[in-house]
Amino acid sequence: MALNKRVFRMLKGNLWRYLGVLFLIIISSWTYVMVTGLTQNLEHLSTDFAEKHMQEDLYFATDRAILDLNKLEKEANAIIEEYPSLDASLSDSLTLRLLGKTEKINIPAVLEGRNLSAPGEILLDPAFANANGYSVGSQLEAAGKTFTVVGFAALPQYIYPVQGINDLMALPSSFGLGVINHEEFKEIKNADINYSVIFNGNSTSLNQQTVQLRERVQAEGITVSDWIPATSNKRIAIVSTAVSSYEAMSAPLSTAMILLCSLIIGVMTWRMIRRDTVVIGTFYAMGYRKRELMRHYMAVPLMLAFVGGLIGSVLAVPCIAPTIRVVSLSYIMPITDITHSLWSVLVSILMPVTALGLSSYLVIRSVLKRPAAELMKGGKDKSKVGLLERVFKLERFKFGTKFKLREQLRSISRLLFLLLGVTSASALMLFGFMLASSYTEMFKNSTESAYRFEYEYAFKNLQYTEAPEGAEVFNNGRFYPESNEDMEFYIIAIEPGSKFLTLEDVSGNPLSNDRTNITKVLAGRLGIKAGDTVSFINKQDGKKYAFLIDAVADSYVQGIHMPITEFNKMLGYAENSYIGLWSDTKLDIPAGELAGAKTMSEIAASVNEMLKPLITVMAAIILVACVVALIILYLVTSLIIEENRSTISLFKIFGYKRREIKSLVLNSSTYVVLVGFIISIPIMLVSMGALYGYIGSMVNIVLPTIINPLYVFVCFVLIMLTYQLSKLLCARTLNSVSMREALSAGTE
Amino acid sequence: MFLSVSNLTKSYHNGITNQVLKGVDRADSGMVEVDGVQVTGLSDDRLVEYRRHSVGFVFQFYNLVPNLTVAENVEVVSNISKKPLKIDEVLSSVGLSDKKNRFPRELSGGEQQRVSIARAIVKNPKLLLCDEPTGALDFETSQGVLSLVQQVNRDFGTTILMITHNSAIAGMAHAVFKIRSGQVVEVTHNSELVPAERIEW
């Protein structure tokens, strides 16, 4: 059919514009299929791992062993397994947590090599082995014994191997896990006693069972130190958190991109069909039916949406498996099988087809419903003066300003499209920069600004001796609000004159360390302000304590800092007791007494290392944002040229020079680009705040909603450069407008 | 001087008006000289200068910018002129002072052509080229426009070259050139000009 040939010519005529839209659809459907594939597989892999390898429901540590475990298991209707552990220092900055191999709960999954079979063998977590150069067959010395690495294993209770439960991130270069046979611990002193629990399903909830179990353990006179349900255990719950945050971050991205495409295609179709009014009128006159013409004009948007969706999906599917492998370097799980969802591929095709189809349909219908006679006369709105043009009194401005303002005010839909487009592209770009800003700020704040010590030593038991010279003592305890048992945080008790902790309030004024300071993030989550008295329950003894909050500190770690003497008195510890030391210099402390040791500079270095992938993500987001901005700006500018062809031609006749016409026509969008960019900043801050809040409600970190002013400037420069590029691309079209167009206007 | 060029076929009409009048097209052969300047030999940049400063245009279909007001349409040209006349004075002379803030769409055909004339004379050009200025107007409106053109010629001393098929207008011009198939077939000089109000067709 002859009309079909026209479809391809329409595509060819605006090839670059349609290719741009196609690119956006591909990105959007790629993101959708990719993230869906990633999240579904991660969920499936972690559930599978948890079920097959008996992941714990609860973990706790005690001061002494439970004597009759069988009786407790029956009473609690649970499986309970005891295992020893010890944090062994391999070097000053390298800690290996040795865990006794379990048989019933948290069964290690061997990823490489083989399982333990003889004494002197060890299974390592692969991230630690990789970061520190251990291979299968190599040897290492820990806790005074030599072990041979026989394999790498994933542990269901350590999917994300953070050392402390509240640590920000896993640092495989300084901490790792090793599984050894139970018997090895007979020769290792000072090992901790830990218990893993799986509750057998019954009618009572998991929370109730947990509370009852704790009461039973405490009734035997045993002191429980750690008590961490799997749901609030970052080492386990991280996967579902990651899945939620991937979904939270990608869903708006994908949807926004599709909506933007619909908008762009809507505008392009509207433009095309408006130019075609005479042709449509003629087709009607020749006997064509409305639905035949509808089919003809719908072909381009539907084809673009279908092909874009299909290419995006086809490109995304092979990327899922490698990405999961990359993710599994951080979240250690066996990758048993990777599934692909046909449904997500279908959605990724149907979504753009529906959205683009709908926007084009509405535009095309508005023209096709007009009578043939009217259509044949051409565009009846040719000289229409916009509402905004009448409303604004522009007489006081210079001619150039007036012309540019009128150009923008002329079509509200075009103005909105440009504004929305620039705002979304800027917001997308700011999103990339903000992600980097937030992470950098959070890690810098917690690792560089607040804590000024170089070494941190945590003891296994309370210490009473005087601290070595130059070192400061600290104590701590884990607390939670009565209403939310899962929301755990540390209260850190410090020396009133501490020089190693420097907190500031939100305005940047230093806060005194002899007062009780809550961090901004925790205060925000609990709704606490300075001057409030709040009660929290100590995880250790289950008792409630009241604290008077003096000030709110500008920190992104959740916690409270208070003077050590007050803390010890309140909890009934000896006045001079402490659990750890901070120091500028290395201290000589026997490894057996320590629960852990940290070096700040190494943590900072690891953090920097871990921020590197974020830069790649940021660059990708910025690139997409630039393309979006370029397409929209190019489209709007060429629309303006298209609508102004006779005016441009007239200006040429009147003797306007090229640069004068360029300035009048091409620069008319500058104000809108500026406004669009400015609007995007608060929009981004508000939506990122909401997004971080949502993620923060699931994990114990709340990312700061800030953006470095330098990044805003860079963003602005990028948007303006994109704008310049779009003008450069359009300048050719502008130059090609002939003076004959105005001369022949109205003569046809 | 009021000159009239008439009896043209459309292609000659376009060719001559575009090339001679506006410096828009290049001539295949021959030479065009305006006020001592050989327009046919000018470079593109010089042609821009020529159109910018030496010549004003009135089109058959007015060619107003639809989203600029009456005053702004005139400003389009005064904006780039060296010594433009005052916009208010020009609008007053074409009788549109009270409609300066209206948009073209809100005006009648005659009024739109008046704006077009105001726009053409605001730069105070040496030569005013009128391309079938009454071609799209009814008789009475045409008379008003022609009267205005005559007034411009009289009051501003602007040379007017009018292209038209309407031989009735010939009486208004000091000289009338009849062209057929690209050749001037007749030149008439009028010693007494007929006022626009008395012209009929």
Side-chain angles (χ1 to χ4, degrees), chain A residues 383 385 389-390 399 402 406 410 650-657 660 739-740 742-743 745-746, chain B residues 18 22 24-25 48-49 51-52 57 59 61 63 67 69 72 75-76 79-80 103 105-106 119:
Chain A
S383 58
V385 178
E389 277 185 275
R390 290 169 197 278
F399 176 73
K402 259 189 297 198
R406 285 208 188 283
R410 191 163 166 192
L650 205 59
F651 279 180
K652 287 187 177 178
I653 295 173
F654 288 151
Y656 272 77
K657 292 172 182 158
E660 287 169 336
M739 284 185 271
R740 289 197 201 95
L743 297 172
Chain B
N18 290 351
K22 295 154 189 140
V24 168
D25 244 356
V48 170
E49 292 298 320
R51 292 198 301 268
R52 194 178 175 106
F57 314 100
F59 304 92
F61 294 97
N63 285 21
N67 64 327
T69 62
E72 286 163 1
E75 208 180 340
V76 165
N79 183 45
I80 53 165
F103 287 96
R105 207 173 180 231
E106 298 162 336
R119 181 178 62 184

